């Protein structure tokens, strides 16, 4: 079985994938878009993608692609604690540039502002890619923000530990697939993720959709708006709710009766690492 992950080896997605699929052939892909496309083309059986961080919110590259492109479903969710480390080729570098994924840079902004206020921040496709780039350019005054595993993988020295701004930092990863995987992990809850597109911009349209969840006593755990990428002011809405055994088809029918379109992202067990 082949499982694609946002690489290279040493990324947080790699850690989540290795923990969930210890016996699988893990395939690194260097961007979220290319990773999902690899799954669409059948190059991997599952794809593990980051979908939301507890500090920085949704990973827009993931949720926007899944909304706008095809019918791809999440069949499991893995929640991974995130610890960010600053690393370089040596402990005495005069750091001029710091490389990492946008989410990692944002999570570490307070530390960087206080300790490296003049360092330029450079965006990479993943934290592990940043670590690999720094390792491949040992003569440059550069550093990467990445997990400890990346330092071990690419032979880097950790300059500062746990530089994320908030201690309780977690990232959700979706496992994209067609079959529910048999994971040797303990599930803590079951959730449903959907996207709502309102028929038109009428007063109360969103309320009419949301009140159905209240009437059925469904626990909403997330609601977020994202641009439809049509005209300014047009949005779709991401919703997560706990699966309490209710008939989803009936729920979706009630929502769509008011002209709202429902897109199912997945019904899945949630595993906390």
């Amino acid at each position: 079985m082949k499982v694609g992950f946002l690489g290279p080896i040493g990324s947080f997605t790699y850690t989540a994938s290795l923990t969930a699929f210890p016996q699988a052939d893990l395939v690194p892909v260097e961007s979220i878009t290319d990773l999902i496309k690899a799954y669409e083309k059948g190059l991997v059986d599952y794809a593990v993608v980051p979908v939301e961080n507890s500090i920085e919110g949704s990973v827009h590259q993931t949720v926007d692609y899944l909304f706008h492109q095809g019918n791809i479903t999440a069949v499991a969710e893995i929640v991974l604690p995130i610890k960010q480390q600053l690393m370089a080729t040596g402990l005495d570098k005069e750091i001029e540039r710091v490389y990492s994924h946008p989410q990692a840079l944002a999570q570490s902004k307070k530390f960087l502002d206080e300790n490296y206020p003049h360092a330029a921040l450079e965006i990479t496709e993943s934290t592990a890619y940043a670590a690999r780039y720094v390792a491949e350019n040992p003569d440059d005054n550069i550093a990467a923000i990445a997990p400890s595993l990346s330092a071990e993988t690419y032979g880097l020295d950790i300059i500062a530990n746990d530089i994320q701004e908030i201690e309780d930092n977690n990232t959700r990863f979706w496992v994209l697939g067609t079959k529910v995987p048999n994971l040797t992990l303990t599930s803590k809850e079951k959730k449903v993720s959907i996207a709502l597109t309102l028929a038109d911009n009428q007063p109360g349209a969103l309320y009419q959709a949301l009140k159905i969840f209240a009437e059925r006593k469904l626990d909403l755990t997330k609601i977020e708006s994202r641009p439809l990428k049509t005209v300014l002011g047009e949005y779709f809405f991401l919703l997560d709710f706990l699966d309490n055994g209710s008939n989803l088809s009936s729920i979706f029918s009630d929502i769509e009766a008011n002209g709202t379109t429902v897109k199912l992202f997945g019904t899945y067990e949630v595993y906390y690492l």
Side-chain angles (χ1 to χ4, degrees), residues 16 19-21 77-78 182-187 271-273:
T19 305
F21 299 95
E77 177 176 295
I78 301 164
N182 183 22
L183 304 183
T184 56
L185 302 171
T186 302
S187 170
Y271 303 90
Y272 289 82
L273 302 186

Side-chain angles (χ1 to χ4, degrees), residues 83-95:
K83 304 291 185 183
Q84 304 287 8
Q85 322 299 330
L86 185 69
M87 58 193 68
T89 54
L91 298 173
D92 56 351
K93 291 276 187 176
E94 293 291 334
I95 304 302

Side-chain angles (χ1 to χ4, degrees), residues 191-203:
K191 290 167 63 177
V192 182
S193 292
I194 61 175
L196 304 182
T197 306
L198 306 181
D200 47 40
N201 188 20
Q202 290 184 350

Side-chain angles (χ1 to χ4, degrees), residues 40-83:
E40 288 180 304
K41 294 176 182 177
L43 301 178
V44 294
D45 300 294
Y46 293 98
V48 180
V49 294
V51 66
E52 184 180 18
N53 176 262
S54 58
I55 298 176
E56 289 303 308
S58 291
V59 180
H60 296 155
Q61 193 175 356
T62 298
V63 296
D64 287 355
Y65 190 99
L66 293 179
F67 176 79
H68 291 286
Q69 306 291 334
N71 294 311
I72 306 170
T73 55
V75 291
E77 177 176 295
I78 301 164
V79 180
L80 178 71
I82 302 298
K83 304 291 185 183

Side-chain angles (χ1 to χ4, degrees), residues 105-130:
L105 292 171
Q107 293 163 26
S108 309
K109 187 177 185 302
K110 182 178 179 180
F111 173 87
L112 295 174
D113 287 346
E114 291 177 353
N115 295 275
Y116 300 93
H118 303 298
L121 305 184
E122 304 287 350
I123 292 174
T124 59
E125 289 285 354
S126 74
T127 53
Y129 179 87

Side-chain angles (χ1 to χ4, degrees), residues 95-173:
I95 304 302
E96 298 174 356
R97 286 172 288 155
V98 178
Y99 290 79
S100 198
H101 186 274
Q103 292 256 347
L105 292 171
Q107 293 163 26
S108 309
K109 187 177 185 302
K110 182 178 179 180
F111 173 87
L112 295 174
D113 287 346
E114 291 177 353
N115 295 275
Y116 300 93
H118 303 298
L121 305 184
E122 304 287 350
I123 292 174
T124 59
E125 289 285 354
S126 74
T127 53
Y129 179 87
R132 189 178 71 182
Y133 179 84
V134 169
E136 291 172 348
N137 296 272
D139 296 329
D140 294 346
N141 290 326
I142 57 178
I145 298 174
S148 298
L149 183 58
S150 289
E152 298 173 17
T153 301
Y154 300 107
L156 298 175
D157 297 305
I158 295 180
I159 300 173
N161 292 281
D162 299 346
I163 65 172
Q164 67 278 353
E165 187 170 343
I166 299 175
E167 182 62 27
D168 188 15
N169 184 16
N170 297 279
T171 293
R172 301 168 60 199
F173 296 88

